[in-house]
Amino acid sequence: MSDSNKTDFTNPSTFILLGVPGLEAAHVWISIPFCTMYIIAILGNFTILFIVKMEPSLHVPMYFFLCMLAVTDLVLSTSIVPKTLSIFWFNSREIDFIACLTQLYFIHCFTVIESGIFVAMAFDRYVAICDPLRHSTTLTNPVVAKISLAVGLRGGMLIMPHPFLIRSRPYCRTNIIPHTHCHHMAVVKLACSDTCVSSYYGLFVVFCVLGLDVFFIAVSYIQILRAIFSLPTKDVRLKTFGTCASHLCAILAFYVSTIFSSLTYRFGHNVPLHFHVLIANVYLLVPPMLNPIIYGVRTKQIRDRLLQVFTHKET
């Protein structure tokens, strides 16, 4: 590493991404699951979008939200994987300062958007199961459009201060980021001025936004489970419960890894750095891979339409 990385500077032109610190020798092996998960996420989410677009009967709120989730997952995974794989395979570690801020913004913006979509989908399931007669009148297309706009604006506006706060800081000592991508706290820690505002605002987003989303999802699913256990037949109860359980697994995979990653970066001083980095990649890679399977393949309408497509091609 050149000496220029150790000298004082105010506005770095580039940052250096290390990948997974301490596991550099295993980068090629680590790239295999990363690349596999990314390919599954790309194929799965594009398949969802294709099936919903081609099947008019799926043009209903549940599948509109599912398409939003698919687009969000595509953006999240594509925001980090190409650069991460270039580090692993070609040792291409430099990233432009503005490109770093752009990547940071997209990652955290679409994380908040995905959280909002999970809330919207939980509300949709709540109305569909607990008050099915009013579902079509409650979640009309204009209402779905307004919810979608609100979810997108919330994510965009809440994360907007992050890149501006980071850009306003002076940087010194090093421009080396011990990470695979421009994670918010990893970049903030490089500043040589007081970063309390950035840190506290990040905690505000975690607790007051993601925390509230978790609360609303929990309330929705408690009501859904109560309705499930009041269903008349055991088979219907088990089938509906199995669907809800798989949805909850996808939601937990997202929130647990997201909140754990955020908190360990601030308070987990004894946690190994490579563990920080790997966990931060989990919530950006695992949910985009799992969501098309859990929300798509396990959904009868999408599964049937997908089988029709393949059957038609064989014929």
Side-chain angles (χ1 to χ4, degrees):
M1 201 65 64
S2 64
D3 292 338
S4 61
N5 291 329
K6 299 295 181 181
T7 57
D8 293 343
F9 49 88
T10 302
N11 295 307
S13 59
T14 60
F15 283 123
I16 307 296
L17 294 167
L18 291 185
V20 185
L23 298 178
E24 288 86 356
H27 273 178
V28 173
W29 296 106
I30 296 172
S31 72
I32 295 174
F34 273 55
C35 187
T36 303
M37 287 189 285
Y38 183 56
I39 291 171
I40 294 172
I42 293 292
L43 292 176
N45 286 294
F46 270 119
T47 300
I48 295 295
L49 293 172
F50 172 76
I51 293 296
V52 174
K53 182 179 185 298
M54 297 299 294
E55 181 56 56
S57 65
L58 300 181
H59 295 175
V60 294
M62 173 184 173
Y63 297 102
F64 289 147
F65 290 137
L66 186 56
C67 286
M68 284 183 60
L69 185 65
V71 171
T72 303
D73 283 337
L74 286 169
V75 174
L76 269 180
S77 54
T78 304
S79 295
I80 66 158
V81 175
K83 182 58 184 177
T84 299
L85 292 179
S86 73
I87 296 170
F88 291 164
W89 291 342
F90 310 114
N91 204 32
S92 175
R93 301 184 175 192
E94 287 194 0
I95 183 169
D96 183 76
F97 182 66
I98 299 300
C100 182
L101 296 185
T102 303
Q103 183 189 54
L104 180 151
Y105 177 78
F106 271 87
I107 290 169
H108 294 282
C109 171
F110 279 87
T111 297
V112 175
I113 289 175
E114 177 145 342
S115 179
I117 295 170
F118 279 134
V119 176
M121 294 177 76
F123 176 68
D124 173 70
R125 290 299 82 207
Y126 164 75
V127 177
I129 293 173
C130 299
D131 196 3
L133 296 178
R134 297 181 59 186
H135 183 262
S136 59
T137 56
T138 301
L139 283 167
T140 61
N141 286 342
V143 170
V144 171
K146 290 176 182 177
I147 291 174
S148 304
L149 181 62
V151 167
L153 287 176
R154 187 188 71 153
M157 298 300 290
L158 281 172
I159 303 302
M160 188 65 71
H162 279 342
F164 286 104
L165 287 171
I166 290 172
R167 193 174 186 183
S168 66
R169 306 290 183 211
Y171 293 85
C172 55
R173 296 182 299 276
T174 182
N175 63 341
I176 299 173
I177 302 175
H179 215 295
T180 56
H181 58 268
C182 292
H183 189 278
H184 175 242
M185 285 306 299
V187 178
V188 166
K189 287 184 175 182
L190 300 184
C192 54
S193 62
D194 185 16
T195 59
C196 287
V197 174
S198 292
S199 183
Y200 290 150
Y201 186 74
L203 284 174
F204 164 77
V205 173
V206 171
F207 286 110
C208 294
V209 178
L210 299 187
L212 279 176
D213 287 354
V214 170
F215 172 76
F216 289 130
I217 291 171
V219 170
S220 295
Y221 273 94
I222 288 170
Q223 297 300 317
I224 289 170
L225 291 175
R226 288 178 60 187
I228 288 172
F229 289 119
S230 66
L231 292 173
T233 61
K234 183 179 179 181
D235 289 342
V236 175
R237 286 200 300 269
L238 288 175
K239 183 179 178 181
T240 311
F241 180 77
T243 301
C244 288
S246 63
H247 290 183
L248 285 172
C249 287
I251 291 168
L252 285 173
F254 174 77
Y255 283 107
V256 170
S257 55
T258 302
I259 294 174
F260 183 80
S261 172
S262 179
L263 295 182
T264 52
Y265 243 105
R266 290 172 172 85
F267 309 114
H269 303 298
N270 296 323
V271 178
L273 188 55
H274 65 268
F275 187 73
H276 279 295
V277 175
L278 292 174
I279 288 296
N281 281 279
V282 164
Y283 80 86
L284 297 173
L285 281 174
V286 174
M289 177 188 68
L290 290 180
N291 289 338
I293 299 170
I294 291 174
Y295 288 100
V297 176
R298 286 179 59 89
T299 303
K300 185 179 185 300
Q301 292 89 334
I302 290 182
R303 187 170 63 247
D304 290 347
R305 179 58 179 168
L306 194 58
L307 288 173
Q308 288 176 12
V309 171
F310 284 112
T311 304
H312 178 72
K313 284 184 178 181
E314 289 175 4
T315 303

